[in-house]
Amino acid sequence: MNVKTLVLLILGALLAAGGLVLRALARKFPEPAADAQKPEVRRYRRRKRLPAVLFWLGVWLSVTALISLLFGPSQREFSVEILPPLTSVLGLPVSSAVLTGFSVSGALILLAVLFRLFVFPRFTETPHGLQNVVELAVEWLSRYCRANLCRPLGENLAAYLFTVALYMIGCAAVELLGLRAPTSDILTTFAMALVTFFLINFYGIRSKGLGGRLRSMARPTPVIFPIKILTDVAVPVSLACRLFGNMLGGMIVMELLYFALGNAAFGAPAVLGLYFNVFHPLIQVFIFITLSLTFINEAIE
């Protein structure tokens, strides 16, 4: 055992023990009355909060020291691959992100079938529990689609965007299992952007006809027709690169954190993981849906 590890272990044990002692002492202080002044309330809250902070800091340092003692210093190397590694399937090279994406799709299909067979038949006129959550999500997305389109396009578009949202959330969730998110692969994001590009032109032609769609791209003057063509072609590229860059950036930040903390990479990364694997993907879902609706609305207006 080296001196650094021993000092870390002793310091962690002292902090944890000190936190427990301060917690016992804090219980002797009476809780301030309801009409107490703010400084008194803040002092009471600090007395309650400080022992917990010291205790968990001590536990974190002690566990870090024990990991170093049992497994030695961290040998982790920092490396990030822009493209996911390839794996062999039936002798063919396949991206690991593609396999993960298929797994996410299969899991969503299975959950959808189970939901239809066992949950949906139990829906009642007065929603409660899971039915409340599902109905709120579906109604919010339907209203959001109607609010961002100049004319109604039916519920099929909302259903597609709801599926895309579930898929992107599922792709982000696999990172919690230590796998690379399929949305951090440019091929996956480009495939999603191509579907949006198809929907833009599909709804544009359905609303105006092929001739109307072409004429709208030549307004106010035919000179901008080539520019408009290039702009529309750039839409899937920008959508794919934006989503890819954001998801890859989150993955790189988490890899940097694990590399910097070494043996101490537990607890703290989980807190940041809540942002990069939960909150951050939800933001990307909202942006992707909003941009898709914006481009479709431009094609039909």
Side-chain angles (χ1 to χ4, degrees):
M1 179 186 299
N2 58 44
V3 177
K4 182 179 178 181
T5 303
L6 179 61
V7 171
L8 195 64
L9 182 60
I10 295 174
L11 178 61
L14 290 176
L15 287 175
L20 292 176
V21 172
L22 288 177
R23 182 181 180 185
L25 294 175
R27 290 178 177 176
K28 297 181 180 180
F29 291 94
E31 186 174 352
D35 57 346
Q37 297 181 353
K38 289 184 178 181
E40 184 179 352
V41 174
R42 284 197 294 266
R43 284 195 298 269
Y44 176 77
R45 289 177 178 175
R46 281 198 297 268
R47 293 193 190 104
K48 299 286 287 184
R49 191 182 304 118
L50 181 60
V53 173
L54 290 178
F55 174 77
W56 288 113
L57 178 60
V59 170
W60 183 61
L61 292 176
S62 299
V63 174
T64 301
L66 288 174
I67 292 175
S68 299
L69 177 63
L70 295 174
F71 303 102
S74 175
Q75 301 296 327
R76 183 182 179 89
E77 296 182 358
F78 179 73
S79 62
V80 176
E81 296 181 354
I82 301 299
L83 296 178
L86 298 178
T87 185
S88 179
V89 177
L90 299 177
L92 299 175
V94 180
S95 170
S96 59
V98 172
L99 296 180
T100 307
F102 283 153
S103 301
V104 172
S105 299
L108 290 176
I109 292 173
L110 178 60
L111 290 175
V113 172
L114 294 176
F115 179 87
R116 182 62 182 86
L117 293 178
F118 300 105
V119 180
F120 184 75
R122 298 183 181 181
F123 277 16
T124 59
E125 290 293 332
T126 304
H128 60 278
L130 180 60
Q131 182 179 351
N132 259 329
V133 177
V134 174
E135 289 190 5
L136 283 174
V138 173
E139 289 177 3
W140 178 85
L141 188 54
S142 296
R143 288 197 302 268
Y144 190 73
C145 289
R146 289 193 294 268
N148 285 273
L149 295 173
C150 60
R151 67 184 72 174
L153 297 177
E155 295 298 325
N156 290 332
L157 181 59
Y160 161 72
L161 293 176
F162 189 76
T163 304
V164 169
L166 290 179
Y167 178 75
M168 292 177 65
I169 293 172
C171 288
V174 299
E175 281 195 282
L176 298 174
L177 304 177
L179 302 174
R180 177 166 176 161
T183 44
S184 64
D185 180 13
I186 187 63
L187 297 178
T188 300
T189 59
F190 193 68
M192 296 169 60
L194 281 179
V195 176
T196 296
F197 180 69
F198 169 79
L199 291 176
I200 292 171
N201 290 280
F202 170 78
Y203 283 111
I205 293 173
R206 195 180 77 168
S207 300
K208 303 176 180 178
L210 180 58
R213 170 70 173 152
L214 293 176
R215 285 193 297 271
S216 67
M217 300 176 70
R219 293 174 183 169
T221 171
V223 176
I224 69 167
F225 183 80
I227 301 176
K228 185 63 177 177
I229 292 292
L230 292 176
T231 302
D232 282 10
V233 171
V235 166
V237 178
S238 63
L239 278 176
C241 292
R242 186 205 56 78
L243 179 58
F244 166 70
N246 280 285
M247 298 306 295
L248 182 66
M251 186 188 74
I252 292 175
V253 170
M254 293 302 298
E255 289 293 327
L256 278 171
L257 183 64
Y258 281 114
F259 173 74
L261 291 178
N263 287 336
F266 70 95
V271 176
L272 282 179
L274 292 176
Y275 174 79
F276 287 108
N277 300 128
V278 179
F279 183 66
H280 178 248
L282 289 177
I283 294 176
Q284 300 308 315
V285 169
F286 178 75
I287 294 175
F288 190 88
I289 289 175
T290 302
L291 290 177
S292 297
L293 288 173
T294 300
F295 291 131
I296 292 174
N297 189 59
E298 289 179 355
I300 66 175
E301 66 180 356

